[in-house]
Amino acid sequence: MSLEKLNAVQWVYGKGKPGPVNWLHVYRKIMDAGKRIMLEGSPEEYIETVLTLYIFPYARYDLSVKDKALAYRIMEAR
């Protein structure tokens, strides 16, 4: 974390492991070091994790959602 040129960390928890909301302690440690995080997971997992970490409105997200209701939930979560 002390690498000056390191701007962001993508924590890959591995196939079959618990989703992103189960790694909040890791994301907080990364954020406390002043680094950005890259989240992976389903849109539902993403919303839950971001809202739990309280990083809106600073989060940037790129999602492809086929469910219109889910897309609106994501936008309203902001």
Side-chain angles (χ1 to χ4, degrees), residues 7-63:
N7 295 321
V9 175
Q10 179 179 3
W11 177 255
V12 180
Y13 39 87
K15 186 174 181 174
K17 302 288 184 190
V21 78
N22 295 285
W23 301 96
L24 297 174
H25 63 288
V26 175
Y27 297 131
R28 285 192 178 107
K29 184 175 181 177
I30 295 167
M31 291 168 41
D32 288 347
K35 310 300 180 186
R36 296 178 185 157
I37 57 173
M38 296 175 66
L39 297 175
E40 298 263 339
S42 70
E44 292 86 356
E45 291 173 321
Y46 177 86
I47 291 171
E48 182 180 5
T49 303
V50 169
L51 291 177
T52 303
L53 290 172
Y54 303 108
I55 56 178
F56 272 130
Y58 306 104
R60 177 182 177 270
Y61 53 91
D62 296 310
L63 297 172

